[in-house]
């Protein structure tokens, strides 16, 4: 039945007598019923008792169990660990629960019963729930403990294999079970946990012990020689006994020298098994005899067989046990034990097995062994595959091969190996050459390139000993001629290396990294260029300049010249020049976002480094080629000249005087620079012989510095003298005087120059006097007297009104600190606050005290004469007046010695202060104070404090800083170009001219642009803006000229040819004529119009170029030829390579038919008539050539195709399939209609959309 059903389903049943002829009934009976094919689902989950559930296919399906379980555990009040909790869900208990959930992955829910007992519901996977339960018991429940005593030998059964039983018990009972160690004599097992858990665990342990009490263990001593008779061949007999008795019998294996057989199990079973074993032993003792025979020791292993199988085989066939002496025993005696009539047969088998294998050897030189084995053992595998039982052994250093296995197979294998050896000896040779080990790695080459080339070229193998062997022998093996050629080549290489040269190049270490390049890229290029030269750089830590080159003499020389050239270029590119630029102009040189400096770097191809913002240095360092550095230097100096009234002057001073003018560590020239307003004085490089000294700075200061330099030079030429004296650093400022006044007096009266130490000098007390001897001596005397008087400490007092004391001590005594710095560290003490005393004490050098006293009197006079003035400037200008970080206001404060206070900023959101105040809810409340509408706002008033004349000067200076606005006429259409992309253009102009430029809103259509800034900057800004307008007008005019447009009519079929592959042709025309060429879009009406835009003459030239292409295309012809479609793929080639080659060679275009074309063999050739004819001839020749291959392939396929006649015949015989048919279907018994199997609605395809059936209730909603 089952078989016929399967046949029916697969459509193999024949359609016999469909109309009800003979046999139709039989066939119908063979059809499966509807219920067999589609078993119904069970109606009920569980049947009532006494009723039998109908058996069908669904009942066989195993029910699926839920992987998540829920268990509830109760902890009584008396066993709760945490009882005194103020609020449920808080404290340690809650923390413990959270920890258990994290540890186990189970979900816990706690609730309190009326009796204050704790209920815990645990949900999760079974394993997680059991773990959580154990944790709950140990951490939330109070623990009790108990002990249970069971026999020591039963403990291992409680533990189980790998402790699994013990873990299971602990999880099951939620207890901790401690079993004494094996060396502990105690038999007490300790259990700790809840009372309920203790009882459960006790019960389980006692159950295990009781079960073991029923079992028995018996040990029987049987002579080892009789063990094979008890086990039987392949352990059959002992297996049968175990099955029959139910006891477990453990017989020690032959390799273990024990006589004891252990039987375990139920007592009755053990007794039965012991009786059976003893019976076999007694029987065999009586009935068996032994014979001893001599068998060669080497043959014992053949008698034993793999894993003792041969011994078992003899025991199975003859019932005789064969006893072989151990392998470490030299005895060759083999004992056969068994019944007398079977011993003869067993002996025959022992000798047959012993002689079935033989050992033989073949003489073969050891160097040939690997050729005999072959690459990856290929040659040997051929022999071993034919004779798998033969073992072939090669011993290193021995000139023989050992074979072991069945005699016949060994003889065959020996013959084959001897043939291989003879053949190899006749056609192979070897030789050994001596080469110094230091050259071995050079012979091998990088990644073995040299040695691999020799091996492949001469078909030889070359063995070069590893470095650790320190051997100089190289062995060459292979074809005799190849061996000799390889030997000659290797010896040539070695001799060449012996003649190689090592050269040391001196390259400054600073260039090493540049030569090597990032990740070694540059040195790799050098090594690739000179592969035979080894280049070694010194370790950076060695600070060495020596780079070593090693290789053939000529190559080393070439590499040396190449590297020297590289270094020369680097030296040229590393020329460095320092440009002193006044610190305040550095930001202008950098530009907004670094735009200026970036532009100079790119255009001059130099590296420009500026000092850090917080550094005192003014030097900008330019690095690169000399000419480029000079260009960058002049551009930077130009920026400085434009920004300020900076001039540059050259003074001719003999070069021999330069060092003496510069002075020790540049002290002398630095003193001149500082004295002349910080001008820059640049001396030429030492040893250059140039007399020109450059002075750069403001015009007046440059002239002053020039005079001083020339005077110094004259002094040096006549007679220069130097003297040194020491003074405490705190006296230096006093000696110099305010603005250098004191020191200038000394110089003017004596003619000597006095140089004070800078912050960098080590000796801060050293003062140097330079000039003629007489001038130096006079100046030195004056200074020494002054210093001596400064060392004379005196104390003096003066009276200052207490109202002024606060000024001196305010800001943590800043004024007093300044006085101490300026007047040789004089100490000033004011009386305590609130004492109303006028007495102020001064202590220090007499001269300093006098000067400080005088200065304090001046300050007091200023304070008495101090006035406060108000300067009204609109608040919107305040930020501009202050300048960056308040620099401008600080300058005015210093210059005029006044205090300036700016008002608080007015909040634009706050209501105006002058708004009338309403009182008592009256609409027209009285205004308490009349407000003057013309009075200035508080936020506009700047307060200036100081002497009246100074305040007035400061007010004028402030007003000069108020920005002024002018308007410039600029055509409206140019505004957007002036603003630039994202405002970049206007920002650049504002930064450059330090003004604010306001462009009117587009909707105003205004031609006016407002410029706001300082009056001094406005003219330059206006000029710059008008210059930009000129540029834009010129660009506009150029754009108008460039927007000339013309069209050319070209048949759309020629468009792809004009465009070219990947746009190559059209791009070339666009670039060559500097025009834009637009082809029509797909939906354009005029598909034949090509538009050209550009300068008029360029557009015409581009049109002529396109017309020339069109004229050439119109001369072309199109011809159709018939090429067999089976060769199309071959002609086209991989990725169209073949067809491209034909098209390029014959200058034609080929079009092959699309898949599904009416004529799949039609190929179109387009081109000039002569080219088309040549291409057609070539294609027809190719077709003829390829068709031969096609015919051959089809012939092969015919032979390879399986015979289809029988299958076709069966199909014809079977007739059309009826599909899947069943009996007793619902549609055959009732009024239901059978499903239409061809209907896509009843049987939809996977993934196909199905039209929903119309329903009287409307469409379904899901």
């Amino acid at each position: 039945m089952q078989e016929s059903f399967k046949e029916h389903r697969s459509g193999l049943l024949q359609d016999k007598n469909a109309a009800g002829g003979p046999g139709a009934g039989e066939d119908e009976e063979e059809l499966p019923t509807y219920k067999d094919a589609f078993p119904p689902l069970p109606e009920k989950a569980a049947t009532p008792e006494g009723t039998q559930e109908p058996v069908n296919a669904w009942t066989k399906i195993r029910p699926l169990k839920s992987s998540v379980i829920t268990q509830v555990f109760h902890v009584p009040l008396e066993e709760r660990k945490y009882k005194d909790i103020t609020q449920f869900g808080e404290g340690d208990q809650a923390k413990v629960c959270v920890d258990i959930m994290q540890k186990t992955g189970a979900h816990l829910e706690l609730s309190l019963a009326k009796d204050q007992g704790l209920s815990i519901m645990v949900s999760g996977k079974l394993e997680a729930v059991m773990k959580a339960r154990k944790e709950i018991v140990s951490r939330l429940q109070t623990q009790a403990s108990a002990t249970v005593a069971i026999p020591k030998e039963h403990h291992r059964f409680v533990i189980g294999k790998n402790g699994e039983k013990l873990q299971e018990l602990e999880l099951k009972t939620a207890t901790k079970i401690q079993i004494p160690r094996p060396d502990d004599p105690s038999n007490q097992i300790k259990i700790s946990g809840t009372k309920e858990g203790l009882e459960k665990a006790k019960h389980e342990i006692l159950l295990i012990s009781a079960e073991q009490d029923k079992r028995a263990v018996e040990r029987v001593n049987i002579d080892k020689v009789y063990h094979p008779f008890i086990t039987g061949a392949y352990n059959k007999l002992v297996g049968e006994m175990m099955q029959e008795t139910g006891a477990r019998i453990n017989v020690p294996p032959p390799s273990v020298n024990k006589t004891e057989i252990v039987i375990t199990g139920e007592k009755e079973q053990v007794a039965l098994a012991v009786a059976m074993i003893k019976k076999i032993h007694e029987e065999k003792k009586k009935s068996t005899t032994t014979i001893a025979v001599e068998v060669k020791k080497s043959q014992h292993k053949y008698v034993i067989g793999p894993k003792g199988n041969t011994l078992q085989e003899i025991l199975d066939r003859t019932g005789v046990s064969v006893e072989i002496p151990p392998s470490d025993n030299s005895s060759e005696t083999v004992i056969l034990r068994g019944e007398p009539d079977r011993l003869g047969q067993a002996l025959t088998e022992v000798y047959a097995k012993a002689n079935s294998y033989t050992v033989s050897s073949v003489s073969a030189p050891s160097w040939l062994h690997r050729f005999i084995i072959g690459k990856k053992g290929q040659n040997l595998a051929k022999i071993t595959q034919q004779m798998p039982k033969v073992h072939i052994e090669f011993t290193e250093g021995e000139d023989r091969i050992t074979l072991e296995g069945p005699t016949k197979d060994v003889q065959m294998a020996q013959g084959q190996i001897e043939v291989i050896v003879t053949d190899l000896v006749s056609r192979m040779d070897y030789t050994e050459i001596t080469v110094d080990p230091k050259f071995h790695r050079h012979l091998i080459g990088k990644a073995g390139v040299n040695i691999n080339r020799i091996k492949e070229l001469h078909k030889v193998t070359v063995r070069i000993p590893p470095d650790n062997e320190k051997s100089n022998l190289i062995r060459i093996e292979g074809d005799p001629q190849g061996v000799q050629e390889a030997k000659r080549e290797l010896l040539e290489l070695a001799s060449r290396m012996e003649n190689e040269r090592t050269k040391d190049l001196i390259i400054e270490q600073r260039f090493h990294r540049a030569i090597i390049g990032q990740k070694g890229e540059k040195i790799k290029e050098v090594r690739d260029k000179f592969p035979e030269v080894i280049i070694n750089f010194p370790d950076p830590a060695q600070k060495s300049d020596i780079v070593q080159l090693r290789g053939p003499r000529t190559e080393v020389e070439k590499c040396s010249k190449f590297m020297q050239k590289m270094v020369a270029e680097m030296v040229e590119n590393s020329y460095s020049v320092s440009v002193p630029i006044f610190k305040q102009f550095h930001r202008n040189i950098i530009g907004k976002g670094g735009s200026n400096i970036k532009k100079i770097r790119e255009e001059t191809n130099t590296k420009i480094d500026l000092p850090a913002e917080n550094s005192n240095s003014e030097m900008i360092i330019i690095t690169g080629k000399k000419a480029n550095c000079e260009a960058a230097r002049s551009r930077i100096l130009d920026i400085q000249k434009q920004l300020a009234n900076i001039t540059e002057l050259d003074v001719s001073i003999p070069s021999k005087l330069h060092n003496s003018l510069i002075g020790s560590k540049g002290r002398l020239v630095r003193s001149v620079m500082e004295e002349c307003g910080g001008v820059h004085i640049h001396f030429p490089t030492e040893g250059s012989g140039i007399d020109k000294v450059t002075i750069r700075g403001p015009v007046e200061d440059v002239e002053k510095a020039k005079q001083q330099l020339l005077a110094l030079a004259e002094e040096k030429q006549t007679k220069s003298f130097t003297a040194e004296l020491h003074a405490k650093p705190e006296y230096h400022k006093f000696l110099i005087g305010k603005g250098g006044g004191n020191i200038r007096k000394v110089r003017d009266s004596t003619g000597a120059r006095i140089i004070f130490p800078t912050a960098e000098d080590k000796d801060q007390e050293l003062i140097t006097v330079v000039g003629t001897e007489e001038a130096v001596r006079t100046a030195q005397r004056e200074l020494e007297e002054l210093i001596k008087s400064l060392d004379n400490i005196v104390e003096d007092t003066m009276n200052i009104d207490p109202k002024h004391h606060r000024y001196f001590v305010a800001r943590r005594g800043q004024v007093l600190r300044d006085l101490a710095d300026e007047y040789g560290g004089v100490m000033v003490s004011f009386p305590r606050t609130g004492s109303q005393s006028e007495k102020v004490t001064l202590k220090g050098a007499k001269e300093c005290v006098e000067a400080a006293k005088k200065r304090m009197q001046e300050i007091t006079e200023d304070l008495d004469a101090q006035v406060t003035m108000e300067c009204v400037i609109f608040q919107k200008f305040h930020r501009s007046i202050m300048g960056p970080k308040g620099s401008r206001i600080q300058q005015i404060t210093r210059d005029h010695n006044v205090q300036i206070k700016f008002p608080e900023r007015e909040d634009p959101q706050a209501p105006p202060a002058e708004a009338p105040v309403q009182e008592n809810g009256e609409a027209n409340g009285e205004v308490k104070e009349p407000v003057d509408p013309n009075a200035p706002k508080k936020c506009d008033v700047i307060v200036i404090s100081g002497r009246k004349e100074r305040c007035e000067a400061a007010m004028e200076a402030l007003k000069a800083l108020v920005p002024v606005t002018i308007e410039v006429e600029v055509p409206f259409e140019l505004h957007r170009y002036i603003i630039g992309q994202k405002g970049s253009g206007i920002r650049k102009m504002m930064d450059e001219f330090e003004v604010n430029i306001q462009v009117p809103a587009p909707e105003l259509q205004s031609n006016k642009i407002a410029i706001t800034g300082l009056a001094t900057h406005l003219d330059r800004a206006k000029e710059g803006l008008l210059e930009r307008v000129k540029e834009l007008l010129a660009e506009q005019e150029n754009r108008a000229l460039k927007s000339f447009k013309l069209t050319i009519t070209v048949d759309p079929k020629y468009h792809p040819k004009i465009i070219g592959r990947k746009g190559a042709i059209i791009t070339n025309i666009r670039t060559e004529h500097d025009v834009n060429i637009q082809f029509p879009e797909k939906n354009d009406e005029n598909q034949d119009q090509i538009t050209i835009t550009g300068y008029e003459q360029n557009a015409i030239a581009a049109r002529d170029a396109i017309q020339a292409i069109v004229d050439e295309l119109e001369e072309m012809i199109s011809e159709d030829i018939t090429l067999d479609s089976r060769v199309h793929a071959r002609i086209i080639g991989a990725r169209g390579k073949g067809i491209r080659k034909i098209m390029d060679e014959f200058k034609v275009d080929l079009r092959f038919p699309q898949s599904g074309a009416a004529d799949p063999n039609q190929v179109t050739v387009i081109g000039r008539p002569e080219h088309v004819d040549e291409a057609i001839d070539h294609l027809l020749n190719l077709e003829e050539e390829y068709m031969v291959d096609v015919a051959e392939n089809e012939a092969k396929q015919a032979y390879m195709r399986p015979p289809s006649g029988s299958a076709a015949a069966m199909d014809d015989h079977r007739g059309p399939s009826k599909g899947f048919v069943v009996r007793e279907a619902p549609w055959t018994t009732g009024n239901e209609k059978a499903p239409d199997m061809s209907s896509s609605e009843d049987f939809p395809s996977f993934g196909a959309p199905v039209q929903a059936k119309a329903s009287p209730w409307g469409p379904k909603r899901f």
Side-chain angles (χ1 to χ4, degrees), residues 1023-1042:
E1023 281 174 27
L1025 183 59
L1026 292 171
E1027 191 63 39
R1028 179 70 181 135
V1029 169
K1030 274 185 193 174
E1031 284 174 20
L1032 290 170
L1033 288 169
E1035 282 176 22
Q1036 208 172 37
E1037 193 179 336
N1038 185 47
R1039 271 200 300 277
L1041 289 171
K1042 207 173 179 181

Side-chain angles (χ1 to χ4, degrees), residues 1054-1067 1079:
Y1054 296 135
H1055 289 189
K1057 287 290 177 188
I1058 294 166
I1059 293 165
R1061 188 179 297 152
K1062 293 182 182 177
I1065 296 169
I1066 203 68
T1067 303
F1079 283 83

